[in-house]
Amino acid sequence: MAGSSLFPDPIVRLVAGVDEAGRGPLAGPVAVAAVILDESRPIAGLNDSKQLSEAKREALFPLIQERALAWHVTFVEPDEIDRLNILQATMEGMRRAVMALQPFPELVRIDGNRAPKGLNCMAETLIGGDAIEPAIMAASILAKVSRDRMMVQLHAAFPQYGFDQHKGYPTSAHLSALAQHGPCVHHRRSFAPVREALDRR
């Protein structure tokens, strides 16, 4: 189910927020997080991860992990992104993140306008949900920080691309490195700039 009109009136106590980071980059995984917040342990300063500084996100990251009733982060790697396409890979990541939660939510609120199939619970999509729903805000922070840390790790193995700076997004520096060095195993070959770099080589 999706949409606020489709879930019943009784109070839903276990609400999970779901968000992703990394749909647009040319390299690295998509990170998807699901979070059930504990109303008895509020977390001050939650916001859309894009509106927070890196330092603030890093400070909130362990607080969310410590105070949430449940949380899970999953990565969908480039080979699966290439096989499924980026939308379906993101949906699959959302499904995996939700299914890994314990306790299991009664309702899932997802940032955006699409919900994955097979969640085994009610689902509601919220456009701009990362600015509305605290659980989605928390999920956006976990996903963003987890992915950024992963890209810094990839930079250690492939420093020529500058993953620690642009996190795989198609900046001019990344495109220049891609043209010079060609793609590595962490690039998404179904994305046009990567495919074109392969063709040139």
Side-chain angles (χ1 to χ4, degrees), residues 75-201:
F75 294 103
V76 184
E77 299 295 340
D79 59 343
E80 193 166 9
I81 292 170
D82 291 337
R83 180 168 56 84
L84 295 178
N85 77 45
I86 186 59
L87 173 60
Q88 294 307 319
T90 302
M91 292 296 104
E92 175 59 16
M94 290 180 175
R95 187 191 68 79
R96 291 174 189 169
V98 170
M99 296 302 290
L101 292 175
Q102 291 293 334
F104 197 73
E106 299 167 70
L107 170 68
V108 174
R109 289 188 172 135
I110 299 165
D111 184 44
N113 61 0
R114 292 176 181 266
K117 298 177 182 178
L119 290 180
N120 296 334
C121 65
M122 296 178 290
E124 177 183 16
T125 57
L126 292 173
I127 295 174
D130 49 8
I132 301 169
E133 167 60 54
I136 296 178
M137 296 174 189
S140 76
I141 292 165
L142 291 193
K144 173 66 173 168
V145 172
S146 297
R147 188 180 188 279
D148 283 357
R149 290 177 177 178
M150 171 70 74
M151 296 310 294
V152 170
Q153 293 176 12
L154 295 184
H155 173 75
F158 299 91
Q160 66 269 34
Y161 297 104
F163 289 147
D164 61 329
Q165 297 299 312
H166 52 65
K167 306 302 190 290
Y169 282 88
T171 63
S172 57
H174 189 188
L175 293 173
S176 177
L178 190 59
Q180 181 178 354
H181 303 289
C184 74
V185 295
H186 298 287
H187 278 96
R188 304 173 183 178
R189 281 155 171 73
S190 58
F191 281 44
V194 180
R195 191 168 61 244
E196 292 163 5
L198 279 170
D199 290 344
R200 286 195 297 270
R201 297 177 75 85

